[in-house]
Amino acid sequence: MRLYQLPKYRAFFSATPSCHLTPQGWNRVEADCPAPATLLRLEAFYPGWRAWIGPHQVPIRQAEGMFQSITLPAGQSRVRFVYRPVLVRPAIAVALVALLLWLFLLLAGWRGLPRGERDL
């Protein structure tokens, strides 16, 4: 594991060339750029992160060895970052199947009991 220490404080969002950035929290920023620019977000680059500019999903690139960056168009943009781990949906599907199987086995076992033992 590599640990990085920033030499001095840096804003969570920055853009090159300069844009007017208005953060709306950790995962949203409004940008007003006079020309196309690169937005740098000081969040770890990791699979599962997605970014949108307005309704359009845009690719996230790795920057400075560990951070996230996207390309901003000229003009005003609303940027949103969302973390959705890659294996969440398959894990939910497996859990749901296991729950249904457990319920089926529970009901099948309950129905197999003699009538007097069901009323516990």
Side-chain angles (χ1 to χ4, degrees):
M1 170 188 288
R2 291 185 188 172
L3 297 177
Y4 290 88
Q5 181 176 358
L6 300 177
K8 60 182 180 176
Y9 170 78
R10 290 172 60 184
F12 191 66
F13 292 103
S14 61
T16 307
S18 185
C19 297
H20 178 71
L21 300 176
T22 307
Q24 306 291 316
W26 294 108
N27 296 327
R28 295 175 187 264
V29 64
E30 291 184 5
D32 190 5
C33 303
T38 299
L39 176 71
L40 176 67
R41 180 172 182 251
L42 299 184
E43 175 70 54
F45 179 83
Y46 195 75
W49 278 105
R50 295 187 173 99
W52 282 265
I53 297 177
H56 306 288
Q57 188 172 353
V58 294
I60 299 177
R61 296 179 310 280
Q62 189 169 356
E64 297 183 20
M66 68 174 292
F67 298 126
Q68 301 173 357
S69 74
I70 63 169
T71 301
L72 293 172
Q76 295 182 344
S77 302
R78 288 185 176 193
V79 182
R80 178 173 53 107
F81 291 86
V82 175
Y83 182 64
R84 291 190 184 138
V86 178
L87 297 177
V88 166
R89 287 186 180 171
I92 290 172
V94 168
L96 184 59
V97 168
L99 177 64
L100 292 174
L101 179 62
W102 179 77
L103 286 173
F104 171 77
L105 292 174
L106 182 69
L107 290 174
W110 183 75
R111 286 185 180 168
L113 289 176
R115 195 145 188 81
E117 293 183 29
R118 289 186 198 173
D119 301 327
L120 296 177

